[in-house]
Amino acid sequence: MALTRKEVEALAHLARLNLTPEELERFGGQLEAILGYVERLNGLDLSNMEPTTLSPPSPTVSGRTSRSPGSPPPTWRPTRRTSGPVRSGFRRYLKKVMSDE
Amino acid sequence: VRKEIGMSTEPALLTAHEASALLAGRKLSSEELVGSVLSRIERLEPKVKAYIKVTPERAIERARESDKRRASGKALGPLDGVPIALKDNMCTKGVETTCASRVLKGFIPPYDATVVARLEAGGAVTVGKANLDEFAFGSSTENSAFGPSRNPWDLSRVPGGSSGGSAAAVAADLCLGALGSDTGGSIRQPAALTGTVGLKPTYGRVSRYGLVAFASSLDQIGPLAKDVTDAAMIQEAIEGFDERDSTSVRLSGPPLTGAPGKAVKGLKFGVAKEWLDPGLDPEIRASFDRACLALGKLGLERVEVSIPRQEYALPVYYLVGPAEASSNLARFDGVRYGPRSAGANIVEMYKKTRSEGFGAEAKRRIILGTFVLSAGYYDAYYLRALKARTALRQDFQAALEKCDFLLSPATPTPAFRIGEKADDPLAMYLSDIYTVSVNLVGLPALVLPSGFSQGNLPIGIQLIGKAFDESTLFTASYALEKELAVVGRKPNLDG
């Protein structure tokens, strides 16, 4: 896909960048080459595929344990998974706020 | 003391585990070891340019503290007193952290990254901040605002990237081990090009807290080391659950340092036909074949597997990576970090600060990421890449059901010349062709030296494991390292 100079300018504005005329020219050509390369993804049938946004281990993951060679790695589950950084102090504070309400 | 060491005339040339044993036996002091590394840095750093900043006073002070602990029998761990380098995208309390970018000039973090805190809690002595491509965008360190690092095996060539400074420092014995970060191969590609050992751990194994984010769903910190045993030792010091990183997981089981030396006979390794394209560099292919033969000799069984959608890994990576990077780098706007340029209004101030602060590759990736996330193109590019990422995960899962680990080349060629690919971003991106898929699927992978080219340039081999099964990677890599007998060869830098 070819990007016009105006489109590159608009993207630069969205990205809060000032580009010199030379940069606009150069990046336009390079982005075109990169986008041309990534467009090979269009040849892939992804109709029934869910998107992967993160690459965490699968819910059941193999742990590091001693085992005989060739045997499948044993499975284990993380003992705690959080959806965000939780600090014990914050948790206590949250509990207090909730109980005060 | 040097006579007693017996293995080298300079303590800096020791591996971390050799030094650790000598420190524990009180046959070597940390001050002498760190002093040896610092004097080597003084002598060779002008040639190699591995570091952005060296912290000698701090290092000597920490070394003396370590010696006191060792003398009173209170060593904090095997790395107590061992000099380690840090990639300069890891926050260090009180020490400037630049990410090799002008946009972070003068930024002094008020806290240590978890990996830094863990290394120091184990007594390791950090000697400096190693060079990298700006914000880890690159495969050669040529995108550093401080200029490129040099490959110790041939100073006219790149050491790889983005953790090229860390890899060059390890290869040139300017530290005993280092930390790098790997978003698409940034530990493994420089390891391969410099003849060092590099591990990209399973996503979630090492805390990213305090690592300046590039692509948060791909970034992972890991060791660059002189040999497999050292890599296990450093990895063990930094890994484990951290409540400050929501993607961190708890680990259990025996230590990784126990993995080297275990029996390997009966293990199965998979080789995907997609990795052995007829166009592969003949020297890389020959080295790969030698590694396969060595594994066979050790009693491992080769299994043919397939990663049918391998060819889509690089396109997916160059959509997902820039998309996440463009979001992560939005915070560098002159308000909270680094220098601020004057502008007529706040938007002009942002634009001027960012335009003057970021280098060409950072700008290119920010614009590309902004494009693929923008209305009208999101579904066609970004969402499509995320779906292809799922397809790739399925391929790796199916392949790893047939074997214990996969074996692939680490890079398509040995180290290239500085400037050779600098004006062709796509050619530069292709140097990560064997490494990016591992980040997209979150698996662990280890690169170790498998041979040398006719031009005396190192060649690496990559072992890709099952999620959290680094233990098997270390067991197999250790056996392969012994069988290939490549590790231990040193570049000649004094000529």
Side-chain angles (χ1 to χ4, degrees):
Chain A
M1 178 185 169
L3 288 175
T4 64
R5 190 187 169 98
K6 211 169 172 186
E7 283 169 325
V8 180
E9 234 166 359
L11 286 169
H13 171 69
L14 283 173
R16 300 293 182 258
L17 289 169
N18 288 328
L19 297 186
T20 63
E22 190 270 331
E23 282 177 322
L24 278 171
E25 190 69 34
R26 187 156 42 95
F27 288 161
Q30 289 171 342
L31 289 173
E32 189 180 332
I34 296 166
L35 290 173
Y37 177 72
V38 301
E39 272 166 12
R40 63 175 58 191
L41 281 180
N42 294 337
L44 201 53
D45 178 15
L46 298 167
S47 43
N48 296 317
M49 213 59 82
E50 288 295 318
T52 294
T53 49
L54 195 65
S55 58
S58 51
T60 305
V61 294
S62 55
R64 50 168 210 226
T65 55
S66 58
R67 63 193 176 91
S68 55
S71 62
T75 56
W76 63 280
R77 284 172 189 281
T79 51
R80 178 177 155 203
R81 299 293 296 275
T82 60
S83 56
V86 177
R87 292 180 189 154
S88 49
F90 177 71
R91 187 169 277 180
R92 276 198 299 277
Y93 167 76
L94 200 65
K95 215 170 171 181
K96 186 178 176 299
V97 171
M98 302 282 278
S99 61
D100 285 352
E101 282 175 357
Chain B
V1 172
R2 286 179 187 184
K3 264 186 187 169
E4 282 178 44
I5 293 169
M7 358 182 159
S8 72
T9 51
E10 269 185 277
L13 303 184
L14 294 165
T15 63
H17 65 91
E18 286 166 349
S20 179
L22 291 167
L23 289 165
R26 310 283 298 137
K27 291 180 176 169
L28 175 69
S29 73
S30 176
E31 189 173 350
E32 185 179 13
L33 178 61
V34 171
S36 166
V37 164
L38 292 174
S39 74
R40 211 172 151 80
I41 290 174
E42 203 178 330
R43 194 168 85 243
L44 299 174
E45 176 60 10
K47 288 184 184 176
V48 182
K49 301 180 189 299
Y51 286 96
I52 288 176
K53 190 179 193 73
V54 181
T55 49
E57 295 85 8
R58 188 183 160 110
I60 289 290
E61 191 185 315
R62 296 263 159 103
R64 286 178 182 151
E65 287 166 12
S66 170
D67 287 333
K68 279 184 199 157
R69 284 193 296 273
R70 294 266 187 197
S72 56
K74 289 177 183 164
L76 296 169
L79 287 177
D80 202 334
V82 175
I84 300 285
L86 303 168
K87 185 175 180 178
D88 198 24
N89 60 352
M90 295 167 201
C91 287
T92 40
K93 189 176 178 178
V95 178
E96 189 179 13
T97 298
T98 66
C99 291
S101 179
R102 284 185 297 272
V103 93
L104 272 177
K105 190 173 165 29
F107 169 60
I108 297 178
Y111 69 98
D112 278 326
T114 295
V115 288
V116 177
R118 286 190 174 166
L119 275 181
E120 293 192 344
V125 176
T126 53
V127 286
K129 308 293 293 284
N131 197 18
L132 64 153
D133 287 289
E134 182 178 17
F135 285 103
F137 299 152
S139 312
S140 67
T141 70
E142 290 168 289
N143 297 326
S144 167
F146 299 89
S149 298
R150 312 267 164 172
N151 191 318
W153 292 92
D154 178 344
L155 297 171
S156 70
R157 291 176 189 268
V158 302
S162 64
S163 311
S166 297
V170 174
D173 298 298
L174 306 180
C175 60
L176 270 68
L179 294 189
S181 65
D182 192 316
T183 306
S186 283
I187 289 174
R188 292 161 288 149
Q189 186 254 18
L193 300 193
T194 58
T196 53
V197 175
L199 172 75
K200 198 292 278 184
T202 308
Y203 187 83
R205 193 169 185 116
V206 178
S207 169
R208 294 173 297 111
Y209 178 74
L211 170 71
V212 180
F214 160 4
S216 307
S217 78
L218 306 168
D219 297 338
Q220 194 65 185
I221 297 172
L224 279 137
K226 294 186 185 182
D227 65 12
V228 173
T229 309
D230 281 9
M233 204 160 116
I234 299 169
Q235 172 61 23
E236 206 163 278
I238 60 169
E239 67 180 18
F241 178 73
D242 178 12
E243 66 176 15
R244 293 187 176 98
D245 177 355
S246 63
T247 61
S248 156
V249 296
R250 282 186 198 280
L251 303 168
S252 60
L256 288 177
T257 39
K262 280 188 187 167
V264 292
K265 201 173 172 188
L267 283 175
K268 290 180 182 172
F269 68 99
V271 175
K273 58 178 183 290
E274 292 81 5
W275 290 327
L276 302 177
D277 186 86
L280 181 62
D281 181 290
E283 290 193 297
I284 300 284
R285 177 63 199 251
S287 190
F288 178 82
D289 290 342
R290 271 198 304 276
C292 288
L293 280 176
L295 288 172
K297 218 169 146 190
L298 288 162
L300 283 87
E301 186 189 336
R302 175 173 170 158
V303 180
E304 301 305 321
V305 297
S306 177
I307 308 286
R309 289 166 284 202
Q310 165 67 32
E311 67 167 298
Y312 301 107
L314 207 60
V316 171
Y317 178 77
Y318 278 99
L319 290 170
V320 173
E324 294 189 24
S326 68
S327 303
N328 276 325
L329 267 61
R331 74 193 68 174
F332 302 113
D333 54 10
V335 176
R336 283 159 294 188
Y337 311 93
R340 178 184 305 166
S341 307
N345 54 49
I346 192 160
V347 174
E348 279 312 310
M349 183 277 282
Y350 291 156
K351 283 184 167 181
K352 208 152 182 276
T353 302
R354 287 164 64 79
S355 304
E356 288 170 6
F358 290 128
E361 183 61 26
K363 288 178 186 171
R364 198 156 35 232
R365 293 201 196 197
I366 289 170
I367 291 172
L368 180 58
T370 305
F371 171 72
V372 302
L373 291 176
S374 60
Y377 297 106
Y378 180 94
D379 285 1
Y381 288 96
Y382 184 62
L383 188 61
R384 197 162 179 78
L386 296 184
K387 287 180 177 178
R389 191 172 175 184
T390 308
L392 206 58
R393 286 184 78 171
Q394 291 174 351
D395 286 356
F396 273 85
Q397 205 168 347
L400 281 164
E401 274 168 15
K402 295 178 183 159
C403 56
D404 293 287
F405 64 91
L406 303 168
L407 191 75
S408 85
T411 56
T413 61
F416 47 91
R417 289 195 185 281
I418 291 174
E420 194 177 320
K421 299 182 183 183
D423 294 328
D424 187 351
L426 196 51
M428 187 71 88
Y429 297 170
L430 285 167
S431 61
D432 296 333
I433 200 149
Y434 293 109
T435 51
V436 293
S437 47
V438 169
N439 300 77
L440 292 168
V441 299
L443 296 174
L446 188 148
V447 163
L448 75 152
S450 58
F452 282 82
S453 71
Q454 285 184 345
N456 200 34
L457 295 172
I459 293 172
I461 190 101
Q462 177 172 236
L463 288 79
I464 304 167
K466 297 178 182 180
F468 293 100
D469 195 20
E470 276 82 351
S471 182
T472 298
L473 287 189
F474 277 115
T475 301
S477 302
Y478 179 73
L480 185 58
E481 173 184 80
K482 279 181 76 176
E483 186 65 29
L484 290 169
V486 174
V487 165
R489 211 160 133 176
K490 301 274 185 193
N492 178 16
L493 284 161
D494 288 309

